[in-house]
Amino acid sequence: MAGLSVSVSAAAAAVVAVTTTAAHGEAAFNPQEKELADRFKRLYPAVDERETPLPRCWSPKDKYSYIGLSQNNLRVHYKGHGKTPKDAASVRATFPIPAACGIYYFEAKIVSKGRDGYMGIGLSAQGVNMNRLPGWDKHSYGYHGDDGHSFCSSGTGQPYGPTFTTGDVIGCCVNMINNTCFYTKNGHSLGIAFTDLPPNLYPTVGLQTPGEVIDANFGQHPFVFDIEDYMREWRTKTQTQIERFPAGDREGEWQTMIQKMVSTYLVHHGYCATAEAFARSTGQAFQEELASIKNRQRIQKLVLAGRMGEAIETTQQLYPGLLERKSNLLFMLKVRQFIEMVNGTDSEVRCLGGRSPKSQDSYPGSPRAFNSPGMSPSHGSNIHTLATCKGNGAHSHFTGYENNCSNGIISNKGHQSSSHSKHPVSCLSTPELNSINATRSQQSNSCSKDNNDMDMETEHYTNGVDASSNGFLNGSVKRVHDMDENDAEMEIDLTQSRRQLCGGSQAAIERMIHFGRELQTVSEQLRRECGKNTLNKKMLQDAFSLLAYSDPWNSPVGYQLDVVQREPVCSALNSAILESHNLPKQPPLALAIGQASKCLELMARLGIGSCAFATAEEYLH
C-alpha cells in the first residue's frame, strides 16, 4: 500500500498545481512568534488583527534619530549627545492600541539607566513630536524614572510613584473601558496615573542620556504583573452590568419572544424531538410540517457523516429542482463530495473499497451507471498515463472530458462508452477493461440495496445524541434504516483507513480522479453560463490540491478534510431548502447573535472598550 501511496502522490503532483501555503491556515510561526500569537489570543480575543493589528515591536520609521533599535526592534538604546532636554528622543510602537482589547498591557525592562536615567515610559498619539520625552506634549503621557513623576500632556510633572533604575520592570496598563492608565513596578500596581485618555494611543518610550537601554515586552514573554487577573475582574464587572440591565414591565413580552426564537432555532436545525418537547412545554407552534423537519434532519445527518453523494441524491428526490436552480450550491456540494472521496468517506469510493453503503446503485454517476475505465493492477503506470494526457497546469488535465457529471449536474448523455470520450482516462487494453468491468459489476451487485429507507414518517426520535450523527445533532434519529449497521461499520472503517487515499482502494482512486475531471467540466460550463466566480475557482483549486501530497491530512491544504468543514456546507444546504419553502434562511436567534456581534464590532471601531468583555460566545457557552 505504501507503493500505491507514492505512485498516487507522484501522479497527482503532475495533475495538480502544488500550493505551498494553506488558504485558510496560519502562517508558519517560529516558537517565539507562536507564543506571542497564543498570548494575544488569550489576552485580546475580541481583537481582529486583520483590521486592527496589535503592537508587536517599536517602529523603525516612527522615532527620533537619536533612538537606536535592535533585537527585533524590541531593544531601545540612546545614541544622542544627552546634554540638554532638546536631546530627548522617543519611539512609538508599530500600531496603536485597539479599543477591542478592552484592557491593554505592555512592560519595559530597564537594561541600563545610563548616565542620568532620564527615561520615560508611556503613551502618545500619532503625530506627537518624537524629539521629546513622553508626557511633555499634548496627547502624550509618561512616567519618568529619574523623579517618579507622571507627565500628562505637560512639561510639569506630578508626584506619582517611585523612581526606577537598572533591573526594574515597569508596566503600563491602558483601560479603555473607563479610559484610565496605571503603571506597575516589578509586578506591583502603582495606582491610577491618568484619566480621560483619548483613543488610538501608541505605546511609547523616551530616552535622554547616553547609555540608557530598555527592552520591551509586548507579550513575547510572560508578564511580571498578573494582568489576566485584572482582566478577569473587569470581565466580571461588565457581564454583571449586562445581566442587571432592567427588563421592566416588558419581561413577559421578552420571555415569549425568546421562547419563540429558541423554538425556531430547534426547528431550523432539525432537532425534532427537542423541538416537539419544547413546543409542548411553552405552547409554541411550528411553521413547518414535522415530516419536512425530519427530512431536512436526514439530509443534514448525511452531510455531517461525509456521505455527500447520498445527501445530494436525497435532496434531489425530496426537493426536485432545488439544486438545479441553485447551480453554485450544487457545485459546492460536489466539490465537498470530491473532498470526501479523498477522505474515503463518500459512498462512491466506500463501495469500491469493498464496503456497501445502500444507495450506491442509485447514483447516476456511480461506476455501474456509466462505463468509466477501470484501473489495472499496474496502478503506477496507468495513473502516470493519466497525468500525461493532453494539457498542462493544475486543471488542464481535468478539462475536455466529455462525460457529464453525476447526481444531476448534467444529464447522463454521452456516458454510453468510455471509448467515445475525447481524452480517455487511461490507455488500458481491452482485456484489462473487461476484467475490471467484471470486477466492478460484482462490486456494484454487492453494493445494491433497496431504497425504501426514504420513508421518513416511520422514524423514531429521542432527545439524546445519536451515535450516527457524529455528535453534531441533538434530537437525532434513533434509528434510520440506512444509518444503523452501516454507521457502526463506517466508524470502524474510518479508524482503519483514514490515512489512505480513498480508503486505500485502487478502483476508488480511479473513480475519484474520474469524478475530478467531471467536476472540472462542470466548472467550465458554469463559467460559460454564469460568468467567472472567484469563490468556485478557489474552492476547486483547494480541493484538487489535496492530490499533490502523499499525506493530504497533514498537508498545508489538509484542513479541508477536517469534519468541521462539513458544517458550513450543511448549513448552506439547509438554508436553501428552507428558503425554497418560503421559510427564513437563518433562525431569528442566529440573526440576533449576528447583530450583537456586529454591534460589538461597531463599539470597537468607536473606541468603546467594554466590547472586549461582552462577546456573545461567552454567554452561549
Side-chain angles (χ1 to χ4, degrees):
M1 196 57 68
L4 170 63
S5 176
V6 171
S7 62
V8 170
S9 175
V15 176
V16 183
V18 179
T19 53
T20 57
T21 58
H24 300 288
E26 293 184 356
F29 290 144
N30 62 40
Q32 291 79 14
E33 290 172 333
K34 186 178 186 305
E35 182 181 358
L36 177 61
D38 291 343
R39 187 168 287 111
F40 276 176
K41 287 179 181 178
R42 187 173 69 253
L43 293 175
Y44 316 117
V47 174
D48 183 354
E49 288 206 77
R50 293 169 298 183
E51 293 187 5
T52 53
L54 287 157
R56 293 171 182 261
C57 62
W58 302 114
S59 172
K61 298 179 180 179
D62 195 6
K63 68 181 183 67
Y64 194 64
S65 58
Y66 290 170
I67 290 291
L69 299 178
S70 60
Q71 298 189 10
N72 296 319
N73 294 332
L74 292 172
R75 172 164 287 187
V76 183
H77 65 270
Y78 183 77
K79 58 181 185 179
H81 304 293
K83 295 179 179 179
T84 70
K86 292 183 179 180
D87 293 327
S90 293
V91 59
R92 269 186 287 266
T94 48
F95 298 103
I97 301 168
C101 291
I103 291 171
Y104 179 80
Y105 185 74
F106 73 99
E107 288 182 341
K109 180 177 181 179
I110 313 305
V111 178
S112 172
K113 78 176 188 66
R115 190 183 72 197
D116 299 324
Y118 290 169
M119 300 171 287
I121 297 168
L123 309 158
S124 66
Q126 181 68 46
V128 171
N129 186 4
M130 291 283 93
N131 188 199
R132 308 273 282 170
L133 289 183
W136 285 354
D137 294 324
K138 187 177 181 180
H139 295 152
S140 180
Y141 310 86
Y143 168 35
H144 293 193
D146 61 308
D147 56 13
H149 287 185
S150 64
F151 291 76
C152 180
S153 303
S154 170
T156 303
Q158 300 295 325
Y160 171 66
T163 60
F164 52 85
T165 186
T166 301
D168 287 331
V169 176
I170 305 301
C172 179
C173 178
V174 184
N175 185 326
M176 285 160 285
I177 301 173
N178 61 9
N179 299 317
T180 63
C181 169
F182 71 87
Y183 289 89
T184 67
K185 180 180 178 182
N186 299 327
H188 300 285
S189 174
L190 302 178
I192 299 294
F194 309 113
T195 60
D196 301 319
L197 293 176
N200 299 317
L201 294 176
Y202 290 70
T204 307
V205 296
L207 309 175
Q208 190 178 313
T209 63
E212 295 170 352
V213 182
I214 290 177
D215 280 350
N217 177 15
F218 294 101
Q220 285 82 1
H221 307 285
F223 293 120
V224 177
F225 177 72
D226 188 358
I227 189 62
E228 292 188 58
D229 184 62
Y230 180 73
M231 288 179 167
R232 280 191 292 270
E233 177 186 335
W234 275 91
R235 180 175 288 106
T236 301
K237 288 181 181 179
T238 303
Q239 293 178 352
T240 300
Q241 186 179 4
I242 294 171
E243 291 164 3
R244 290 179 178 176
F245 183 81
D249 297 334
R250 301 185 63 188
E251 184 173 2
E253 180 184 340
W254 288 11
Q255 186 69 21
T256 302
M257 184 187 302
I258 291 172
Q259 289 176 351
K260 186 173 182 180
M261 291 172 72
V262 172
S263 177
T264 55
Y265 179 86
L266 295 172
V267 168
H268 177 93
H269 290 288
Y271 302 150
C272 299
T274 306
E276 286 183 280
F278 187 80
R280 284 193 299 269
S281 64
T282 61
Q284 300 290 326
F286 292 165
Q287 284 184 278
E288 185 181 8
E289 292 183 3
L290 189 60
S292 177
I293 300 172
K294 292 180 178 180
N295 287 339
R296 285 193 296 104
Q297 185 193 49
R298 160 78 182 283
I299 293 169
Q300 290 179 81
K301 286 170 64 68
L302 290 170
V303 174
L304 294 174
R307 295 159 68 167
M308 290 303 306
E310 293 175 78
I312 294 171
E313 179 187 10
T314 303
T315 302
Q316 290 174 324
Q317 290 183 6
L318 294 174
Y319 306 101
L322 170 64
L323 297 182
E324 285 71 15
R325 293 191 300 271
K326 294 185 174 292
S327 55
N328 285 326
L329 173 62
L330 179 56
F331 184 75
M332 177 177 69
L333 297 176
K334 299 301 292 184
V335 171
R336 187 66 214 177
Q337 185 178 2
F338 178 86
I339 294 169
E340 297 298 349
M341 285 182 170
V342 175
N343 219 0
T345 48
D346 188 73
S347 298
E348 291 206 34
V349 296
R350 283 173 53 78
C351 179
L352 293 174
R355 310 177 191 110
S356 55
K358 299 184 179 182
S359 66
Q360 178 64 29
D361 62 327
S362 60
Y363 273 95
S366 66
R368 286 177 359 98
F370 59 87
N371 297 321
S372 62
M375 178 171 284
S376 73
S378 55
H379 172 70
S381 61
N382 288 327
I383 201 164
H384 175 74
T385 305
L386 278 170
T388 54
C389 288
K390 182 178 179 181
N392 295 300
H395 301 307
S396 60
H397 298 282
F398 287 95
T399 61
Y401 196 79
E402 291 183 343
N403 284 351
N404 295 320
C405 193
S406 63
N407 287 337
I409 295 184
I410 314 175
S411 68
N412 285 353
K413 184 178 179 180
H415 283 300
Q416 296 174 357
S417 171
S418 61
S419 62
H420 296 143
S421 63
K422 189 173 182 179
H423 300 298
V425 176
S426 59
C427 303
L428 300 181
S429 64
T430 302
E432 284 176 320
L433 285 173
N434 290 338
S435 173
I436 291 164
N437 287 335
T439 302
R440 287 199 168 182
S441 178
Q442 294 172 3
Q443 290 175 336
S444 298
N445 288 335
S446 71
C447 290
S448 179
K449 302 283 183 179
D450 67 38
N451 285 318
N452 293 331
D453 57 358
M454 295 303 300
D455 184 6
M456 297 299 295
E457 305 308 313
T458 61
E459 294 167 358
H460 303 288
Y461 291 78
T462 70
N463 279 327
V465 178
D466 182 31
S468 65
S469 70
N470 288 342
F472 284 103
L473 297 178
N474 183 26
S476 301
V477 180
K478 177 71 173 178
R479 177 174 179 176
V480 182
H481 296 300
D482 71 338
M483 300 186 73
D484 44 17
E485 296 176 1
N486 282 333
D487 282 342
E489 176 191 296
M490 178 187 296
E491 298 302 323
I492 296 171
D493 288 338
L494 287 180
T495 301
Q496 294 173 345
S497 64
R498 62 179 176 270
R499 292 304 180 190
Q500 298 181 30
L501 193 68
C502 300
S505 164
Q506 293 185 2
I509 292 172
E510 176 79 7
R511 172 64 192 129
M512 176 267 295
I513 294 176
H514 181 78
F515 186 89
R517 285 200 172 94
E518 296 174 331
L519 201 52
Q520 174 63 26
T521 301
V522 174
S523 172
E524 293 171 353
Q525 179 177 327
L526 274 177
R527 187 167 62 248
R528 288 192 300 268
E529 294 177 355
C530 307
K532 292 183 179 180
N533 187 312
T534 305
L535 184 62
N536 285 352
K537 180 180 178 180
K538 186 178 186 310
M539 194 189 311
L540 193 62
Q541 286 177 339
D542 288 350
F544 285 170
S545 294
L546 289 167
L547 302 186
Y549 300 92
S550 58
D551 183 2
W553 292 268
N554 290 320
S555 73
V557 291
Y559 65 90
Q560 299 174 90
L561 298 167
D562 194 317
V563 295
V564 173
Q565 299 299 326
R566 297 169 184 168
E567 294 182 23
V569 177
C570 181
S571 177
L573 179 55
N574 188 46
S575 294
I577 294 171
L578 288 164
E579 187 180 23
S580 71
H581 284 70
N582 296 317
L583 294 170
K585 289 196 300 182
Q586 297 294 331
L589 183 59
L591 292 175
I593 293 171
Q595 289 169 350
S597 299
K598 287 296 180 184
C599 180
L600 292 170
E601 290 177 12
L602 180 60
M603 290 172 66
R605 293 191 185 102
L606 295 175
I608 304 173
S610 56
C611 66
F613 303 134
T615 58
E617 289 78 7
E618 290 182 355
Y619 289 89
L620 292 176
H621 295 296

